[in-house]
Amino acid sequence: MTRRKLVAGNWKMNGSRATLHELDAIARAAAANPGIDVAVAIPATLIEPASARVPGLAIGAEDVHANASGAHTGCLSAAMVREAGARFTIVGHSERRSDQHETSQDAWGKAAAAHKEGLSVILCCGETEAERDAGRAERVVQAQIEKSVPDNADGAWFTLAYEPRWAIGTGRTPTHDEIGAIHAIARAKLRMLVGDAAAGIRILYGGSVTGANAAAILAIDNVDGALIGGASLTAEKFVPIIEAAGAM
Ligand code: PEP
């Protein structure tokens, strides 16, 4: 099955109304590469102005709560970010797992809630450096997938992102063989969980992707795109990644 490549940005706790102009050139690059999908997850306060500014670009949230409403001070529901203009959300990002102590079970609940509200989902998994050093990377990722992927997941709304935690924001990446090995294992695990639908689910690689390494990473088997943090903050750095994916 052919899976369209997806290049997704994650601005994290960066950006302001003054930097939204970066999305203009990103949206133009997305339109110039119609064979791929481009998306940018941004702080919740920017979703509405960004969606109005670049209506052709998929703008998303970086997280949602698993509940539809209630006493959860400071949190946002999937319906709230959708109302603001989000078309998708990231869930289970490793920074939320480390900073907010979120679990794979939490990510499962968030993915299910987002899907119920009509959002697409990018669900993150990935091992720590200690887990990789101990030879446990594959088992850790398999367990995360097993606990967090909803059993009705399919490629129409669900994307998995493999992001080794030690590669995020560090400038370090696994070898291509290491990335390929985890992506193959992730695909096999998805097949066990959702059957034939696994063939349509995109698996992104994330962790220090740049314009310089994107083409080689995107050419690895079972790598269906990339999730990009630091290099998504400016069009100057993000557009070359879009172009690398578009040229494949
Ligand atoms: C991320 O936070 O999802 C990420 C991949 O960050 P970076 O590209 O900066 O490593």
Side-chain angles (χ1 to χ4, degrees):
M1 162 171 296
T2 316
R3 292 176 293 269
R4 283 165 66 88
K5 294 263 193 268
L6 169 61
V7 175
N10 172 19
W11 278 16
K12 312 190 184 192
M13 200 170 75
N14 297 295
S16 66
R17 285 177 187 251
T19 65
L20 285 184
H21 65 88
E22 297 290 346
L23 295 175
D24 300 348
I26 291 169
R28 280 197 298 276
N33 288 278
I36 63 163
D37 295 322
V38 178
V40 188
I42 59 177
T45 52
L46 298 178
I47 291 173
E48 190 150 16
S51 302
R53 184 176 184 121
V54 284
L57 187 64
I59 298 294
E62 299 173 6
D63 181 54
V64 293
H65 198 278
N67 290 359
S69 63
H72 305 290
T73 302
C75 299
L76 296 172
S77 70
M80 288 171 179
V81 299
R82 187 178 44 73
E83 188 175 47
R87 295 197 220 162
F88 74 97
T89 185
I90 295 173
V91 299
H93 191 278
S94 66
E95 285 149 17
R96 294 205 59 89
R97 291 176 190 254
S98 55
D99 297 357
Q100 274 78 32
H101 312 293
E102 291 184 0
T103 64
S104 293
Q105 188 67 27
D106 294 328
W108 177 89
K110 288 166 183 247
H115 177 49
K116 203 167 162 202
E117 284 301 332
L119 295 175
S120 297
V121 168
I122 298 176
L123 187 148
C124 305
C125 61
E127 80 285 359
T128 64
E129 186 158 30
E131 288 164 343
R132 175 158 286 274
D133 289 347
R136 298 182 50 232
E138 296 177 358
R139 264 176 296 152
V140 166
V141 170
Q142 283 175 318
Q144 289 173 338
I145 293 172
E146 201 168 301
K147 289 179 191 155
S148 61
V149 175
D151 58 13
N152 61 348
D154 68 42
W157 68 274
F158 184 84
T159 296
L160 186 71
Y162 167 57
E163 299 205 301
R165 293 193 195 189
W166 51 274
I168 293 180
T170 59
R172 296 162 56 207
T173 57
T175 66
H176 293 172
D177 284 351
E178 287 169 340
I179 294 173
I182 297 280
H183 279 238
I185 280 165
R187 176 84 53 211
K189 192 62 171 176
L190 287 174
R191 199 169 297 119
M192 283 173 62
L193 293 173
V194 303
D196 290 346
I201 294 177
R202 293 186 281 203
I203 307 177
L204 312 184
Y205 167 76
S208 297
V209 174
T210 66
N213 63 19
I217 289 173
L218 291 169
I220 299 168
D221 245 19
N222 281 306
V223 174
D224 306 309
L227 182 55
I228 298 124
S232 71
L233 292 174
T234 62
E236 187 189 2
K237 290 189 174 160
F238 197 43
V239 167
I241 301 172
I242 295 170
E243 287 173 343
M248 302 197 74

